[in-house]
PDB file of all heavy atoms in Angstrom:
ATOM      1  N   ALA A 205     -28.177 -21.345   4.959  1.00  0.00           N
ATOM      2  CA  ALA A 205     -27.791 -20.598   6.314  1.00  0.00           C
ATOM      3  C   ALA A 205     -28.599 -19.340   6.470  1.00  0.00           C
ATOM      4  O   ALA A 205     -29.186 -19.155   7.654  1.00  0.00           O
ATOM      5  CB  ALA A 205     -26.322 -20.147   6.104  1.00  0.00           C
ATOM      6  N   VAL A 206     -29.013 -18.899   5.371  1.00  0.00           N
ATOM      7  CA  VAL A 206     -30.011 -17.736   5.559  1.00  0.00           C
ATOM      8  C   VAL A 206     -31.371 -18.227   6.025  1.00  0.00           C
ATOM      9  O   VAL A 206     -32.061 -17.591   6.880  1.00  0.00           O
ATOM     10  CB  VAL A 206     -30.134 -16.926   4.139  1.00  0.00           C
ATOM     11  CG1 VAL A 206     -31.227 -15.968   4.170  1.00  0.00           C
ATOM     12  CG2 VAL A 206     -28.788 -16.221   3.933  1.00  0.00           C
ATOM     13  N   GLU A 207     -31.821 -19.287   5.392  1.00  0.00           N
ATOM     14  CA  GLU A 207     -33.058 -19.901   5.832  1.00  0.00           C
ATOM     15  C   GLU A 207     -33.121 -20.298   7.268  1.00  0.00           C
ATOM     16  O   GLU A 207     -34.165 -20.148   7.991  1.00  0.00           O
ATOM     17  CB  GLU A 207     -33.340 -21.107   4.901  1.00  0.00           C
ATOM     18  CG  GLU A 207     -34.699 -21.799   5.134  1.00  0.00           C
ATOM     19  CD  GLU A 207     -35.936 -20.790   5.064  1.00  0.00           C
ATOM     20  OE1 GLU A 207     -35.913 -19.919   4.234  1.00  0.00           O
ATOM     21  OE2 GLU A 207     -36.805 -20.960   5.802  1.00  0.00           O
ATOM     22  N   ALA A 208     -31.916 -20.805   7.759  1.00  0.00           N
ATOM     23  CA  ALA A 208     -31.957 -21.195   9.128  1.00  0.00           C
ATOM     24  C   ALA A 208     -32.070 -20.014  10.056  1.00  0.00           C
ATOM     25  O   ALA A 208     -32.761 -20.119  11.029  1.00  0.00           O
ATOM     26  CB  ALA A 208     -30.486 -21.864   9.410  1.00  0.00           C
ATOM     27  N   ALA A 209     -31.407 -18.952   9.605  1.00  0.00           N
ATOM     28  CA  ALA A 209     -31.717 -17.619  10.457  1.00  0.00           C
ATOM     29  C   ALA A 209     -33.139 -17.258  10.478  1.00  0.00           C
ATOM     30  O   ALA A 209     -33.689 -16.788  11.560  1.00  0.00           O
ATOM     31  CB  ALA A 209     -30.726 -16.504   9.900  1.00  0.00           C
ATOM     32  N   ARG A 210     -33.713 -17.412   9.384  1.00  0.00           N
ATOM     33  CA  ARG A 210     -35.169 -16.937   9.265  1.00  0.00           C
ATOM     34  C   ARG A 210     -35.988 -17.934  10.343  1.00  0.00           C
ATOM     35  O   ARG A 210     -36.927 -17.430  10.906  1.00  0.00           O
ATOM     36  CB  ARG A 210     -35.654 -17.069   7.850  1.00  0.00           C
ATOM     37  CG  ARG A 210     -34.992 -16.477   6.714  1.00  0.00           C
ATOM     38  CD  ARG A 210     -35.234 -14.907   6.684  1.00  0.00           C
ATOM     39  NE  ARG A 210     -34.488 -14.461   5.504  1.00  0.00           N
ATOM     40  CZ  ARG A 210     -33.958 -13.250   5.475  1.00  0.00           C
ATOM     41  NH1 ARG A 210     -33.882 -12.505   6.572  1.00  0.00           N
ATOM     42  NH2 ARG A 210     -33.459 -12.793   4.346  1.00  0.00           N
ATOM     43  N   GLU A 211     -35.594 -19.156  10.412  1.00  0.00           N
ATOM     44  CA  GLU A 211     -36.285 -20.001  11.299  1.00  0.00           C
ATOM     45  C   GLU A 211     -36.166 -19.504  12.698  1.00  0.00           C
ATOM     46  O   GLU A 211     -37.083 -19.775  13.642  1.00  0.00           O
ATOM     47  CB  GLU A 211     -35.771 -21.361  11.210  1.00  0.00           C
ATOM     48  CG  GLU A 211     -36.019 -22.129   9.892  1.00  0.00           C
ATOM     49  CD  GLU A 211     -35.332 -23.443   9.727  1.00  0.00           C
ATOM     50  OE1 GLU A 211     -34.952 -23.920  10.784  1.00  0.00           O
ATOM     51  OE2 GLU A 211     -35.321 -23.949   8.534  1.00  0.00           O
ATOM     52  N   HIS A 212     -35.093 -18.618  13.128  1.00  0.00           N
ATOM     53  CA  HIS A 212     -34.973 -18.100  14.363  1.00  0.00           C
ATOM     54  C   HIS A 212     -35.749 -16.716  14.345  1.00  0.00           C
ATOM     55  O   HIS A 212     -35.430 -16.035  15.484  1.00  0.00           O
ATOM     56  CB  HIS A 212     -33.546 -17.864  14.693  1.00  0.00           C
ATOM     57  CG  HIS A 212     -32.757 -19.087  15.248  1.00  0.00           C
ATOM     58  ND1 HIS A 212     -32.651 -19.367  16.524  1.00  0.00           N
ATOM     59  CD2 HIS A 212     -32.195 -20.169  14.587  1.00  0.00           C
ATOM     60  CE1 HIS A 212     -31.987 -20.458  16.649  1.00  0.00           C
ATOM     61  NE2 HIS A 212     -31.649 -20.998  15.620  1.00  0.00           N
ATOM     62  N   ASP A 213     -36.495 -16.352  13.414  1.00  0.00           N
ATOM     63  CA  ASP A 213     -37.094 -15.048  13.225  1.00  0.00           C
ATOM     64  C   ASP A 213     -36.045 -13.909  13.342  1.00  0.00           C
ATOM     65  O   ASP A 213     -36.218 -12.811  13.788  1.00  0.00           O
ATOM     66  CB  ASP A 213     -38.079 -14.826  14.371  1.00  0.00           C
ATOM     67  CG  ASP A 213     -39.264 -15.802  14.340  1.00  0.00           C
ATOM     68  OD1 ASP A 213     -39.685 -16.142  13.124  1.00  0.00           O
ATOM     69  OD2 ASP A 213     -39.834 -16.209  15.384  1.00  0.00           O
ATOM     70  N   ALA A 214     -34.830 -14.241  12.848  1.00  0.00           N
ATOM     71  CA  ALA A 214     -33.866 -13.340  12.698  1.00  0.00           C
ATOM     72  C   ALA A 214     -33.629 -12.625  11.418  1.00  0.00           C
ATOM     73  O   ALA A 214     -34.024 -13.315  10.335  1.00  0.00           O
ATOM     74  CB  ALA A 214     -32.360 -13.827  13.062  1.00  0.00           C
ATOM     75  N   VAL A 215     -33.124 -11.389  11.385  1.00  0.00           N
ATOM     76  CA  VAL A 215     -32.852 -10.841  10.097  1.00  0.00           C
ATOM     77  C   VAL A 215     -31.489 -11.182   9.673  1.00  0.00           C
ATOM     78  O   VAL A 215     -30.569 -11.689  10.557  1.00  0.00           O
ATOM     79  CB  VAL A 215     -32.957  -9.252  10.118  1.00  0.00           C
ATOM     80  CG1 VAL A 215     -34.193  -8.898  10.505  1.00  0.00           C
ATOM     81  CG2 VAL A 215     -31.860  -8.763  11.236  1.00  0.00           C
ATOM     82  N   VAL A 216     -31.019 -10.966   8.324  1.00  0.00           N
ATOM     83  CA  VAL A 216     -29.682 -11.409   7.946  1.00  0.00           C
ATOM     84  C   VAL A 216     -29.128 -10.087   7.343  1.00  0.00           C
ATOM     85  O   VAL A 216     -29.666  -9.455   6.501  1.00  0.00           O
ATOM     86  CB  VAL A 216     -29.745 -12.501   6.827  1.00  0.00           C
ATOM     87  CG1 VAL A 216     -28.411 -12.793   6.316  1.00  0.00           C
ATOM     88  CG2 VAL A 216     -30.374 -13.738   7.393  1.00  0.00           C
ATOM     89  N   HIS A 217     -27.811  -9.884   7.743  1.00  0.00           N
ATOM     90  CA  HIS A 217     -27.062  -8.696   7.345  1.00  0.00           C
ATOM     91  C   HIS A 217     -25.634  -9.439   6.676  1.00  0.00           C
ATOM     92  O   HIS A 217     -24.990 -10.157   7.341  1.00  0.00           O
ATOM     93  CB  HIS A 217     -26.612  -7.805   8.452  1.00  0.00           C
ATOM     94  CG  HIS A 217     -25.674  -6.752   8.106  1.00  0.00           C
ATOM     95  ND1 HIS A 217     -26.060  -5.690   7.272  1.00  0.00           N
ATOM     96  CD2 HIS A 217     -24.430  -6.676   8.282  1.00  0.00           C
ATOM     97  CE1 HIS A 217     -24.930  -4.884   7.114  1.00  0.00           C
ATOM     98  NE2 HIS A 217     -23.923  -5.531   7.652  1.00  0.00           N
ATOM     99  N   PHE A 218     -25.420  -9.009   5.409  1.00  0.00           N
ATOM    100  CA  PHE A 218     -24.175  -9.289   4.808  1.00  0.00           C
ATOM    101  C   PHE A 218     -23.005  -8.242   5.040  1.00  0.00           C
ATOM    102  O   PHE A 218     -23.297  -7.090   4.642  1.00  0.00           O
ATOM    103  CB  PHE A 218     -24.376  -9.506   3.337  1.00  0.00           C
ATOM    104  CG  PHE A 218     -25.011 -10.823   2.991  1.00  0.00           C
ATOM    105  CD1 PHE A 218     -25.393 -11.041   1.660  1.00  0.00           C
ATOM    106  CD2 PHE A 218     -25.296 -11.849   3.847  1.00  0.00           C
ATOM    107  CE1 PHE A 218     -26.057 -12.205   1.221  1.00  0.00           C
ATOM    108  CE2 PHE A 218     -25.917 -13.017   3.535  1.00  0.00           C
ATOM    109  CZ  PHE A 218     -26.386 -13.075   2.183  1.00  0.00           C
ATOM    110  N   ASP A 219     -21.924  -8.646   5.679  1.00  0.00           N
ATOM    111  CA  ASP A 219     -20.696  -7.902   5.636  1.00  0.00           C
ATOM    112  C   ASP A 219     -20.092  -8.114   4.287  1.00  0.00           C
ATOM    113  O   ASP A 219     -19.324  -9.030   4.192  1.00  0.00           O
ATOM    114  CB  ASP A 219     -19.934  -8.290   6.795  1.00  0.00           C
ATOM    115  CG  ASP A 219     -18.455  -7.531   6.709  1.00  0.00           C
ATOM    116  OD1 ASP A 219     -18.170  -7.022   5.756  1.00  0.00           O
ATOM    117  OD2 ASP A 219     -17.864  -7.495   7.847  1.00  0.00           O
ATOM    118  N   GLY A 220     -20.492  -7.233   3.326  1.00  0.00           N
ATOM    119  CA  GLY A 220     -20.033  -7.594   1.994  1.00  0.00           C
ATOM    120  C   GLY A 220     -18.967  -6.556   1.598  1.00  0.00           C
ATOM    121  O   GLY A 220     -18.867  -6.002   0.459  1.00  0.00           O
ATOM    122  N   ALA A 221     -17.935  -6.366   2.481  1.00  0.00           N
ATOM    123  CA  ALA A 221     -16.845  -5.490   2.164  1.00  0.00           C
ATOM    124  C   ALA A 221     -16.241  -5.768   0.765  1.00  0.00           C
ATOM    125  O   ALA A 221     -15.731  -4.949  -0.043  1.00  0.00           O
ATOM    126  CB  ALA A 221     -15.793  -5.413   3.269  1.00  0.00           C
ATOM    127  N   ARG A 222     -16.194  -7.094   0.544  1.00  0.00           N
ATOM    128  CA  ARG A 222     -15.534  -7.561  -0.771  1.00  0.00           C
ATOM    129  C   ARG A 222     -16.697  -8.353  -1.523  1.00  0.00           C
ATOM    130  O   ARG A 222     -16.465  -9.234  -2.312  1.00  0.00           O
ATOM    131  CB  ARG A 222     -14.463  -8.452  -0.377  1.00  0.00           C
ATOM    132  CG  ARG A 222     -13.268  -7.781   0.173  1.00  0.00           C
ATOM    133  CD  ARG A 222     -12.067  -8.697   0.731  1.00  0.00           C
ATOM    134  NE  ARG A 222     -10.982  -8.033   1.210  1.00  0.00           N
ATOM    135  CZ  ARG A 222     -10.988  -7.462   2.416  1.00  0.00           C
ATOM    136  NH1 ARG A 222     -11.789  -7.608   3.228  1.00  0.00           N
ATOM    137  NH2 ARG A 222      -9.811  -6.834   2.629  1.00  0.00           N
ATOM    138  N   LEU A 223     -17.982  -7.981  -1.283  1.00  0.00           N
ATOM    139  CA  LEU A 223     -19.054  -8.606  -2.167  1.00  0.00           C
ATOM    140  C   LEU A 223     -18.860  -8.624  -3.576  1.00  0.00           C
ATOM    141  O   LEU A 223     -19.294  -9.462  -4.325  1.00  0.00           O
ATOM    142  CB  LEU A 223     -20.335  -8.104  -1.635  1.00  0.00           C
ATOM    143  CG  LEU A 223     -21.623  -8.896  -2.144  1.00  0.00           C
ATOM    144  CD1 LEU A 223     -21.795 -10.190  -1.399  1.00  0.00           C
ATOM    145  CD2 LEU A 223     -22.848  -7.992  -1.894  1.00  0.00           C
TER     146      LEU A 223
END
Side-chain angles (χ1 to χ4, degrees):
V206 169
E207 180 59 32
R210 307 283 189 220
E211 293 173 14
H212 278 267
D213 296 322
V215 297
V216 177
H217 171 78
F218 283 171
D219 177 339
R222 296 172 173 83
L223 189 73

